[in-house]
């Protein structure tokens, strides 16, 4: 017998008789649909916060926060070149970190990342088309 954690043991640890009161528990997943309903029942999971990709206002605010005063023009430029819902905050930050002191260069880094992603996804699509044809 391995002595590993069982699903029942996990549930008891979360809210069983011996569970500690007055604590917060954070669960994260990319596949909430794969989780057992017993884990997600009210009382165990009371709040769900989805993390979505950036919209226009989020892009604008993030760039202004990242670069500070004087970055309004770059923020507007960024919103004009990034389709809403195409970037996660982590992707945006990663691109901006390539030019941490220059908002215009940061916007260019985001453009290059998007172009690279477009090239990768269109390359994958053409590979898929070749596989389907054979």
């Amino acid at each position: 017998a391995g002595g590993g954690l069982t699903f029942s043991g996990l549930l008891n640890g979360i809210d069983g008789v011996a569970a500690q009161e007055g604590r917060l528990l954070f669960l994260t997943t990319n596949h909430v649909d794969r989780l057992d309903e017993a884990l997600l029942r009210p009382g165990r999971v009371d709040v769900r916060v989805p993390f979505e990709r950036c919209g226009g206002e989020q892009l604008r605010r993030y760039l202004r926060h990242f670069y500070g005063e004087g970055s309004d023009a770059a923020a507007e430029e960024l919103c004009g070149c990034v389709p809403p819902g195409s970037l996660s905050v982590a992707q945006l930050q990663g691109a901006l970190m390539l030019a941490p002191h220059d908002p215009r260069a940061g916007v260019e880094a985001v453009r290059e990342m998007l172009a690279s992603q477009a090239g990768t996804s269109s390359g994958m699509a053409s590979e898929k088309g070749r596989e389907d044809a054979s």
Side-chain angles (χ1 to χ4, degrees), residues 84-133:
S86 61
L87 289 178
S88 69
V89 173
Q91 289 173 305
L92 177 62
Q93 180 177 345
L96 297 180
M97 288 299 294
L98 297 173
H101 304 292
D102 184 351
R104 296 261 182 226
V107 170
E108 189 54 38
V110 171
R111 278 194 174 122
E112 289 173 11
M113 181 182 60
L114 287 171
S116 170
Q117 288 177 349
T120 302
S121 62
S122 66
M124 290 171 59
S126 62
E127 286 291 323
K128 175 89 173 103
R130 279 193 290 255
E131 288 173 13
D132 291 345

Side-chain angles (χ1 to χ4, degrees), residues 21 36 50-51 57 78 82 87 96 111:
E21 294 295 320
D36 192 293
F51 289 88
E57 183 58 26
L78 180 69
V82 177
L87 289 178
L96 297 180
R111 278 194 174 122

